[in-house]
Amino acid sequence: MHSPNRRDFIKAGTLLAVSTALPGRSAAQPQSQTPKLNLFSKHLQFLDYQAMAEAAKEIGFQGVDLTVRPGGHVEPEKVETDLPRAVEACHRQGLETVMMTTAVDDAENTLDQAVLRTAAKCGITHYRMNWFRYENDKPLPETLSAYQMRIQKLDALNEELGLVGCYQNHAGTLVGASLWEVWQLLQGSSPEHFGAQYDIRHATVEGGRSWTNGFRLIQDRIRTLVMKDFKWVKREGRTQLLNTPLGEGMVDFPHYFKLLNETQIDVPISLHFEYDLGGAEKGRRQIERSPDFVFDAMRKDIATFERLWSEA
């Protein structure tokens, strides 16, 4: 037997921290209580770090999902100086910073490495990576296999740093519109350090009435959740997607929340606002509506989330 060294202690602590973030194993939030909500900071990018944190606290969030990507609250090139500042601003308001949204997609890229290493030092535990794209000149299965290897390399880096990476299912033609694609991407990576960011809005868009099958497929690998809503509308003779406030669209939140309770999935949640907020929904630095208009919309969605959760 060997004597425990510093590396052993770090690894043991990392495994303990990650295990408490897995579905059904978190002691931080009993499933009977309303989950904590993280603000997706994209929607307050018209504010600096301190003002963003103050607003998030006043609105009613318990944490912040920081955007650390090109055009985000934190630019990747400035991550080593600016991410600690953003985290500190949130902590001064008593807000958690366990999540971030990134453009990371390559474990061998020095900038991606810097983003992840800095995040780990700041106490961030979960990140959403960038989306992959299909290549027109390659068969889809071949492309998926290549990206699967990229995920495995990120998984190894995550293990070293004590992070949990997530790939988000996203409606459209990117890799991962179908939960079957996400499931395939995750094969060969460890559940402790890589999983899915499950987005019920996008799952409903692509899955229609079969979204529950995708949920069942991926449920053991869900590591973060995104909340938002939408509906289909007719405009100028065409059927189009329209993002809506929470509870005003087609997402079956009563059924969804019941499933989350039944499966005891208790992971960090990011609340998104992609309906018209005068540009805040797009992460613009200058918006066309008053900040109070944006804040009131966020409060309404939080109240709707809490009501729907209590009724599920």
Side-chain angles (χ1 to χ4, degrees):
M1 296 179 64
H2 69 281
S3 299
N5 54 31
R6 183 173 180 272
R7 181 179 180 85
D8 293 326
F9 281 118
I10 292 173
K11 185 173 183 180
T14 294
L15 290 174
L16 176 61
V18 170
S19 69
T20 61
L22 298 182
R25 300 178 66 177
S26 174
Q29 188 72 43
Q31 201 66 14
S32 59
Q33 297 182 10
T34 304
K36 297 177 181 179
L37 292 178
N38 294 275
L39 164 74
F40 188 30
S41 80
K42 166 185 174 180
H43 306 302
L44 292 186
Q45 288 182 174
F46 58 90
L47 299 175
D48 62 26
Y49 302 144
Q50 187 60 37
M52 176 270 294
E54 291 174 355
K57 179 66 173 181
E58 194 277 330
I59 291 166
F61 289 99
Q62 290 79 44
V64 177
D65 173 7
L66 288 164
T67 50
V68 186
R69 59 186 182 182
H73 248 130
V74 176
E75 292 287 345
E77 290 80 7
K78 298 180 179 179
V79 67
E80 293 176 342
T81 56
D82 286 7
L83 184 55
R85 290 176 53 222
V87 168
E88 182 183 0
C90 292
H91 289 179
R92 281 199 295 266
Q93 300 301 316
L95 296 167
E96 296 180 354
T97 52
V98 299
M99 303 178 71
M100 68 175 181
T101 297
T102 74
V104 167
D105 61 14
D106 187 352
E108 297 177 354
N109 179 281
T110 55
L111 186 56
D112 286 355
Q113 291 175 6
V115 168
L116 296 185
R117 293 187 186 280
T118 304
K121 292 177 182 178
C122 290
I124 292 172
T125 55
H126 294 67
Y127 71 93
R128 188 182 90 191
M129 65 170 292
N130 203 1
W131 301 290
F132 293 131
R133 298 179 180 275
Y134 285 111
E135 300 178 36
N136 293 330
D137 59 345
K138 290 184 179 180
L140 271 62
E142 180 181 333
T143 301
L144 278 176
S145 295
Y147 288 144
Q148 192 180 73
M149 297 298 294
R150 295 264 290 273
I151 293 287
Q152 291 170 14
K153 290 180 179 179
L154 283 169
D155 176 47
L157 181 56
N158 292 343
E159 181 177 9
E160 175 190 336
L161 299 175
L163 295 174
V164 181
C166 298
Y167 193 93
Q168 180 196 22
N169 61 295
H170 195 289
T173 59
L174 297 171
V175 175
S178 160
L179 269 303
W180 287 94
E181 296 166 68
V182 178
W183 180 84
Q184 184 65 38
L185 282 175
L186 297 178
Q187 299 310 297
S189 61
S190 65
E192 294 82 9
H193 296 287
F194 220 101
Q197 178 169 97
Y198 185 79
D199 189 314
I200 184 59
R201 181 265 194 196
H202 290 299
T204 304
V205 171
E206 293 293 340
R209 297 176 64 183
S210 71
W211 67 266
T212 53
N213 290 342
F215 178 87
R216 288 175 55 201
L217 174 71
I218 208 75
Q219 69 182 54
D220 290 339
R221 297 297 296 269
I222 293 174
R223 297 295 174 263
T224 58
L225 297 169
V226 168
M227 298 294 169
K228 52 191 173 185
D229 208 347
F230 83 101
K231 62 183 177 182
W232 294 102
V233 297
K234 277 280 191 179
R235 285 182 173 174
E236 300 178 354
R238 297 180 59 191
T239 302
Q240 301 179 29
L241 282 170
L242 178 67
N243 294 308
T244 70
L246 221 61
E248 296 182 16
M250 299 178 67
V251 172
D252 187 352
F253 283 107
H255 187 190
Y256 178 46
F257 287 169
K258 182 180 179 181
L259 284 176
L260 290 178
N261 275 288
E262 290 176 349
T263 53
Q264 296 187 315
I265 292 177
D266 183 12
V267 297
I269 300 174
S270 183
L271 187 56
H272 290 206
F273 308 86
E274 297 191 352
Y275 51 90
D276 185 9
L277 290 177
E281 76 280 6
K282 299 181 183 300
R284 291 176 181 163
R285 306 290 180 178
Q286 302 290 329
I287 61 174
E288 298 173 354
R289 304 298 296 261
S290 71
D292 285 340
F293 177 84
V294 177
F295 302 160
D296 287 343
M298 292 180 171
R299 293 189 190 97
K300 180 182 176 184
D301 274 9
I302 291 176
T304 299
F305 176 90
E306 292 174 345
R307 175 179 59 80
L308 291 170
W309 185 270
S310 69
E311 295 173 352

